[in-house]
Amino acid sequence: MLFLARMEVQFPAHLSAEEVTRLQGLEKEYSQGLQRDGRFAGIWRVVGEYANYSLFDVASNDELHEILSGFPMYPYMKIKVTPLAKHPNSIK
């Protein structure tokens, strides 16, 4: 199943720069592991925002929820998920 997720990060003001840097490192490690195993099929930055659009290829809604809630920055994310279906005009 394909899902498009828009993820926007909103760190609270009380987090130190060191904590933000630590979370960013953990986030990179976690997301690259998901990319390597194929469940995180793509990621695109939103210009001018601390946000991205991500494409996930997973077996179920529950698996996607588990993945999203596993992101180290999850407590600071606003996430909107859109389920995707094949378009009849697609040649792929």
Side-chain angles (χ1 to χ4, degrees):
M1 300 172 68
L2 292 176
F3 295 91
L4 181 67
R6 186 185 196 283
M7 297 188 277
E8 180 181 345
V9 179
Q10 300 172 332
F11 289 120
H14 72 271
L15 283 184
S16 68
E18 293 80 16
E19 179 64 6
V20 169
T21 299
R22 185 184 76 78
L23 287 169
Q24 289 169 329
L26 293 171
E27 190 85 3
K28 182 176 182 178
E29 183 180 331
Y30 181 76
S31 68
Q32 288 181 349
L34 291 168
Q35 290 174 67
R36 286 185 191 95
D37 73 21
R39 294 181 291 167
F40 196 164
I43 184 170
W44 296 267
R45 178 175 282 168
V46 177
V47 175
E49 297 180 39
Y50 197 162
N52 70 74
Y53 281 97
S54 296
L55 184 64
F56 293 92
D57 189 358
V58 295
S60 68
N61 295 336
D62 291 331
E63 182 180 6
L64 179 62
H65 181 76
E66 182 180 321
I67 287 170
L68 294 176
S69 61
F71 277 99
M73 288 194 244
Y74 178 76
Y76 312 111
M77 287 181 178
K78 178 179 172 185
I79 302 172
K80 180 181 178 190
V81 175
T82 304
L84 300 175
K86 185 174 178 170
H87 194 284
N89 294 345
S90 175
I91 61 172
K92 292 185 179 182

